[in-house]
Amino acid sequence: MTLFEKLMDKISGSLSNKINLGKEIHSLKALLKNGYWKRLEKLPPRKAFFNVIDVCNANCVFCPAQKLPSEGIMELPLYRKSIKELDEIGTKSINFSALYGEPLLDPHLFQRIEMASSHGFKTILTTNGIRLSENENVEKLIEKGIDKVNVSMPGFGEKSYAEIFRVDKKNYGKAISGIAKLLRYRGKVDCHLSIRYNSKIPELFQSPGFKHNILPLVNKNFIKENIHLSKKVDNWGGLISEEDLPEGMFLLKPPSLKPVPCKWTFSVAILPGGTVRLCPCRVAEQGKQDELTVGNIRETRLREIWYGKKTKELRRMFSTFDGRELPEACRDCSFYSPP
């Protein structure tokens, strides 16, 4: 049976039980564009993600960071070398939020942003917002050249904040204050809010935190385009289960088909010790030093790693339909998406 026939057989099964039909159709479209991802292999990394620090000041129900070991903070000379090689290879965008960890805990963050900006990279930061209001951090981010800031929030109330982020509820006020300050600079920086919540949408937008602190600083277009809402979270390759989530939040189901390489294998993650990993988003029980690592920038130039044999072999593991040959982090991952 050909790959196409296997996929159609899977879709027929989904039609009969109406489960995961949308994902199967998405996979069919990806398979029909099979040549597209092969062309992507000839290009530099779409985006580079730096795991500059892997410790966090929150303990979110949807993130396994506190269950995994820390590798510390990336040294500046290693970061400088990485930036230079990414520039040489042709990468255009740098994100300071690979895998897990709170970038604003990194003592060298502003220096790193300035370095990246001086090379012409688009710079992106994802934060839980707790430290945005401290030490003029918003002003420093803008001064050093940050282009986009994504703030992850569990809604706009102390109760949901403490329940989902599992931190002292006093941090909610700090985060709201930081977001409000950030929004006042919207003309200078692109702001996005990612809300993982377990309440009803009307309750979310009618809460005092939103009405008094956020709403006066935004318009309808911002709410529509720059606020992303989701009750569903992914499973981090099996590290997060339904039992970890509060009532009202749900796990995304992994797609039954992964016939082409995940889009995240066309971005690169650089870890604190220089390890280069294909996926910048998720890990499983093995942690970051797993089958998705393809080299170390301390020992091998990034160009050789990116266009090397191991990188290509990993992507081709996605051509199996049952997923048995995939790296552990990919087998049951619900964050999979075709390129």
Side-chain angles (χ1 to χ4, degrees), residues 264-282:
W264 296 110
T265 65
F266 295 97
S267 294
V268 65
I270 302 178
L271 308 186
T275 297
V276 177
R277 191 175 184 271
L278 281 196
C279 176
C281 300
R282 299 294 181 262

Side-chain angles (χ1 to χ4, degrees), residues 230-250:
S230 180
K231 284 190 171 187
K232 294 183 178 180
V233 298
D234 67 277
N235 63 3
W236 281 79
L239 285 176
I240 300 297
S241 67
E242 293 280 2
E243 289 71 30
D244 295 309
L245 305 178
E247 185 179 355
M249 293 186 82
F250 309 95

Side-chain angles (χ1 to χ4, degrees), residues 281-306:
C281 300
R282 299 294 181 262
V283 298
E285 193 172 354
Q286 288 181 336
K288 293 183 289 187
Q289 303 292 339
D290 61 1
E291 300 159 274
L292 286 167
T293 60
V294 288
N296 192 300
I297 201 166
R298 290 184 188 273
E299 303 159 359
T300 311
R301 291 186 66 80
L302 182 62
R303 181 178 295 274
E304 294 177 38
I305 295 172
W306 184 251

Side-chain angles (χ1 to χ4, degrees), residues 49-57 63 65 68-75 79 95-110 112 125-128 131 270-274 280 288:
F49 290 73
F50 277 93
N51 189 209
V52 290
I53 188 169
D54 56 10
V55 296
C56 192
N57 51 357
C63 176
L68 298 167
S70 170
E71 295 182 11
I73 300 172
M74 180 180 285
E75 300 170 356
Y79 174 79
N95 192 310
F96 295 97
S97 312
L99 299 171
Y100 53 88
E102 172 50 52
L104 283 170
L105 295 176
D106 173 19
H108 308 301
L109 177 65
F110 302 113
R112 297 189 205 275
L125 176 78
T126 297
T127 173
N128 58 35
R131 298 198 69 179
I270 302 178
L271 308 186
K288 293 183 289 187

Side-chain angles (χ1 to χ4, degrees), residues 7-219:
L7 186 53
M8 292 307 298
D9 185 57
K10 287 276 189 178
I11 290 176
S12 297
S14 292
L15 280 170
S16 64
N17 57 28
K18 297 182 180 180
I19 296 175
N20 282 341
L21 178 58
K23 292 180 179 179
E24 312 303 5
I25 291 174
H26 194 183
S27 294
L28 173 59
K29 290 178 179 178
L31 185 59
L32 293 174
K33 293 197 303 180
N34 203 21
Y36 173 65
W37 71 262
K38 291 181 179 178
R39 291 194 296 273
L40 286 179
E41 284 195 310
K42 300 176 183 178
L43 302 177
R46 284 177 160 183
K47 300 176 182 178
F49 290 73
F50 277 93
N51 189 209
V52 290
I53 188 169
D54 56 10
V55 296
C56 192
N57 51 357
N59 184 21
C60 304
V61 297
F62 50 79
C63 176
Q66 305 297 347
K67 303 176 184 178
L68 298 167
S70 170
E71 295 182 11
I73 300 172
M74 180 180 285
E75 300 170 356
L76 279 175
L78 176 61
Y79 174 79
R80 191 177 291 110
K81 180 181 189 297
S82 303
I83 286 288
K84 181 181 178 182
E85 293 193 21
L86 285 164
D87 193 12
E88 291 172 352
I89 203 174
T91 298
K92 303 298 183 185
S93 172
I94 286 179
N95 192 310
F96 295 97
S97 312
L99 299 171
Y100 53 88
E102 172 50 52
L104 283 170
L105 295 176
D106 173 19
H108 308 301
L109 177 65
F110 302 113
Q111 195 172 349
R112 297 189 205 275
I113 293 170
E114 188 173 36
M115 281 188 211
S117 295
S118 69
H119 280 269
F121 291 104
K122 179 180 179 180
T123 53
I124 304 167
L125 176 78
T126 297
T127 173
N128 58 35
I130 293 174
R131 298 198 69 179
L132 274 177
S133 64
E134 298 178 7
N135 305 317
E136 298 185 338
N137 281 339
V138 169
E139 290 83 356
K140 290 175 185 176
L141 286 170
I142 293 167
E143 177 190 344
K144 299 304 180 183
I146 199 72
D147 293 299
K148 180 178 179 180
V149 178
N150 301 310
V151 184
S152 175
M153 284 287 287
F156 300 101
E158 288 185 347
K159 181 181 177 182
S160 62
Y161 199 88
E163 185 178 24
I164 296 175
F165 270 17
R166 292 188 293 201
V167 293
D168 192 310
K169 62 183 181 181
K170 69 181 181 182
N171 288 302
Y172 167 75
K174 293 170 63 176
I176 284 291
S177 175
I179 293 170
K181 181 182 283 191
L182 182 69
L183 290 173
R184 293 188 181 98
Y185 287 93
R186 277 201 295 136
K188 296 183 178 181
V189 61
D190 187 13
C191 309
H192 287 252
L193 303 181
S194 176
I195 314 298
R196 296 180 177 93
Y197 67 105
N198 65 335
S199 60
K200 296 178 180 179
I201 289 181
E203 293 175 7
L204 197 65
F205 289 112
Q206 290 171 10
S207 64
F210 182 80
K211 289 172 68 176
H212 298 156
N213 298 280
I214 307 301
L215 189 57
L217 300 171
V218 300
N219 53 33

